[in-house]
Amino acid sequence: MKKVPFVTKGQIEEVVKTYPTPFHIYDEKGIRENARALKSAFAWNKGFREFFAVKATPNPFIMKILKEEGCGFDCSSLTELMLAREVGSEPGDIMFSSNETPAEEYALADELGGYINLDDFTHIEFLESIIGHIPETICCRYNPGGVFTMSNGIMDNPGDAKYGMTEAQIFEAFRILKEKGAKRFGIHAFLASNTVTNEYYPKLAGIMFELAVRLHKETGAEIAFVNLSGGIGVPYTPDKEPNDIKVIGEGVREQYEKTLGAAGMNDVAVFTELGRFMLAPYGALITKAIHEKHTYKEYIGVDACAANLMRPAIYGAYHHITVLGKENAPCDHKYDVVGSLCENCDKFAIDRMLPEIEKGDYIYIHDTGAHGFSMGYNYNGRLRSAELLLGEDGKVSLIRRAETPEDYFATFDCFDDYKGLRRQKS
Ligand SMILES: *Cc1c(COP(=O)(O)O)cnc(C)c1O
């Protein structure tokens, strides 16, 4: 599907008068419409709820928008829990799906009334030793092992993944948790990432609903929810068609009726923990062409780098590029679009056919709304950018300022000799 920016060159020329490039910008209207489409696709399930995967876009302004649309939050670390607390999460609004969990994180998740999702069998004892009891509602993460296949072949390799319990372990975990006082149970699995097919969720749901029925029958546990987790993807390349959430919701409903319905388990809630699907298309990294270089290849140097968007550097991920103002110009130039890190993997595009780029052009890097800013880092002393929000009213506001050198040096507080680098204390 043709990829169209949600801002124009004219809008960006206005924005940069206040907020210089590079920055990530998010589209409130797109975020809300998509969240509503998800909710409506699963409206057949009374207890349905999306717990937004905070790690995708950990920004309280974005989280507030999603909260207004009815979402809870899927957290996996202390600071993500703190963010969820700061945006006003109440008991039941948090899903805590972590792994290799430090003690203090279980303590906070419990204190906030979050659903705790145990990644491993040994965490039953660990959790009990920290909070002194087993919560009345508890979730276990399942890993069926092997490879996960769909009609177009192998999708992912759960047998190689560090997450979740084996089938034998999850049955044993339910028995032990029940003995220790758990009253309501959830099950969770994440078997394939960034799936661009309407088939993934229904297939996963079929496996999970069937497991839920067997767990209920064999252990007597009351199954409160099945958490289908993340994994619904987005088409990063223009040759792919986006997922149809309505079709996905219907596919899950069919499985629900066939398995849970047939077993008389009609009050099981379906939960999701989507990150990429909720945000990726509704964010973009805006960067300016500041250099061009002609050696063995043609390079365009931009003012953003992999510290602002890591996916191309670590996964070789494709992110579509639009040169703002040249949307309809012929793509007759082949470029590597590169950042400034002293790392040759710092390339937003390799051998990409684009319109002729001139210094000063604004480059719109698509689909950075999830796992974009949040994966940023400070290598080479590069600073993280600002995040902006294009509101439904068309106004642009700052939702995170850009880092400054003072932020970078703030953790050197312990070195008295480095006064010049320290944040000025009044
Ligand atoms: C990363 C993650 C998600 C979100 O995944 P997306 O691919 O962004 O949808 C959900 N749940 C868990 C446990 C995760 O680790």
Side-chain angles (χ1 to χ4, degrees):
M1 200 171 76
K2 189 166 189 281
K3 292 200 151 287
V4 182
F6 59 77
V7 287
T8 62
K9 181 181 178 194
Q11 278 174 300
I12 293 302
E13 282 171 340
E14 273 309 304
V15 171
V16 296
K17 290 178 185 164
T18 316
Y19 309 112
T21 55
F23 51 79
H24 287 265
I25 186 164
Y26 304 93
D27 172 24
E28 178 177 6
K29 187 162 171 281
I31 295 170
R32 286 190 189 274
E33 284 174 0
N34 184 61
R36 285 171 200 171
L38 171 71
K39 209 169 153 183
S40 122
F42 284 88
W44 54 266
N45 181 254
K46 207 163 115 275
F48 174 77
R49 194 156 192 212
E50 152 71 1
F51 293 80
F52 172 63
V54 174
K55 73 164 192 260
T57 322
N59 186 301
F61 293 87
I62 301 287
M63 290 167 70
K64 274 208 161 131
I65 292 171
L66 291 169
K67 186 165 185 283
E68 285 168 15
E69 297 300 335
C71 300
F73 301 110
D74 164 39
C75 303
S76 57
S77 69
L78 189 73
T79 46
E80 289 177 6
L81 284 168
M82 291 164 79
L83 266 174
R85 178 180 64 194
E86 292 312 307
V87 299
S89 295
E90 311 261 343
D93 288 345
I94 294 173
M95 176 66 63
F96 187 57
S97 291
S98 67
N99 66 95
E100 317 319 322
T101 315
E104 65 196 10
E105 304 190 357
Y106 272 143
L108 183 57
D110 181 58
E111 189 188 311
L112 297 176
Y115 296 116
I116 291 179
N117 183 11
L118 298 173
D119 181 68
D120 188 44
F121 186 76
T122 58
H123 285 222
I124 300 171
E125 246 180 64
F126 183 64
L127 176 66
E128 197 179 24
S129 75
I130 295 152
I131 64 171
H133 64 279
I134 290 296
E136 287 201 349
T137 306
I138 189 86
C139 183
C140 292
R141 184 166 182 168
Y142 174 54
N143 182 335
V147 290
F148 184 74
T149 56
M150 285 188 302
S151 55
N152 51 354
I154 293 177
M155 292 300 292
D156 223 316
N157 198 349
D160 252 0
K162 66 174 177 172
Y163 312 105
M165 307 183 194
T166 68
E167 184 160 318
Q169 286 172 336
I170 205 168
F171 277 85
E172 186 63 9
F174 267 48
R175 288 192 188 94
I176 292 171
L177 288 163
K178 212 160 161 261
E179 262 172 40
K180 289 181 184 290
K183 299 213 157 47
R184 292 156 53 80
F185 290 78
I187 52 174
H188 167 283
F190 190 155
L191 301 186
S193 191
N194 191 34
T195 58
V196 191
T197 154
N198 297 329
E199 222 187 302
Y200 168 64
Y201 247 31
K203 169 113 197 228
L204 170 68
I207 294 170
M208 297 302 279
F209 296 158
E210 190 266 338
L211 178 66
V213 171
R214 282 192 292 131
L215 280 164
H216 173 65
K217 287 202 172 133
E218 291 179 31
T219 70
E222 182 198 332
I223 311 292
F225 62 84
V226 172
N227 183 341
L228 300 176
S229 186
I232 299 185
V234 299
Y236 286 100
T237 52
D239 62 318
K240 288 207 177 95
E241 285 303 310
N243 287 315
D244 185 336
I245 199 64
K246 197 86 204 158
V247 172
I248 291 174
E250 278 306 298
V252 173
R253 187 173 62 81
E254 274 171 35
Q255 295 295 328
Y256 192 99
E257 283 167 4
K258 199 171 94 187
T259 309
L260 290 174
M265 295 166 68
N266 281 304
D267 49 3
V268 176
V270 173
F271 288 174
T272 58
E273 280 175 350
L274 299 166
R276 197 184 311 272
F277 179 77
M278 301 306 286
L279 251 299
Y282 315 109
L285 173 59
I286 309 292
T287 181
K288 188 160 79 174
I290 55 172
H291 291 286
E292 56 182 287
K293 175 169 178 171
H294 315 279
T295 53
Y296 307 104
K297 298 183 91 171
E298 297 295 298
Y299 293 99
I300 294 296
V302 297
D303 60 4
C305 66
N308 307 111
L309 177 67
M310 199 177 182
R311 298 184 71 259
I314 54 170
Y315 312 125
Y318 179 97
H319 277 267
H320 198 66
I321 283 177
T322 298
V323 184
L324 291 177
K326 299 184 178 176
E327 284 81 354
N328 298 314
C331 292
D332 53 4
H333 283 65
K334 190 194 266 186
Y335 292 117
D336 281 16
V337 178
V338 302
S340 57
L341 293 191
C342 304
E343 273 290 345
N344 201 41
C345 64
D346 185 12
K347 296 185 172 185
F348 292 119
I350 298 172
D351 296 333
R352 184 80 58 91
M353 295 307 294
L354 292 166
E356 181 169 20
I357 298 175
E358 287 146 287
K359 278 186 272 182
D361 278 347
Y362 292 109
I363 289 176
Y364 179 105
I365 304 181
H366 290 251
D367 302 319
T368 72
H371 313 294
F373 178 95
S374 62
M375 278 189 170
Y377 58 115
N378 281 128
Y379 189 57
N380 255 180
R382 292 288 161 199
L383 304 173
R384 274 171 283 236
S385 77
E387 291 181 289
L388 308 179
L389 181 69
L390 173 64
E392 282 190 298
D393 57 2
K395 292 208 180 79
V396 172
S397 56
L398 185 68
I399 58 171
R400 187 196 305 256
R401 68 163 170 81
E403 282 181 348
T404 64
E406 286 74 22
D407 295 317
Y408 183 81
F409 295 125
T411 45
F412 291 137
D413 277 3
C414 42
F415 294 102
D416 277 347
D417 292 348
Y418 293 174
K419 283 198 188 69
L421 302 182
R422 289 165 61 192
R423 188 191 290 277
Q424 289 295 312
K425 287 189 183 130
S426 50

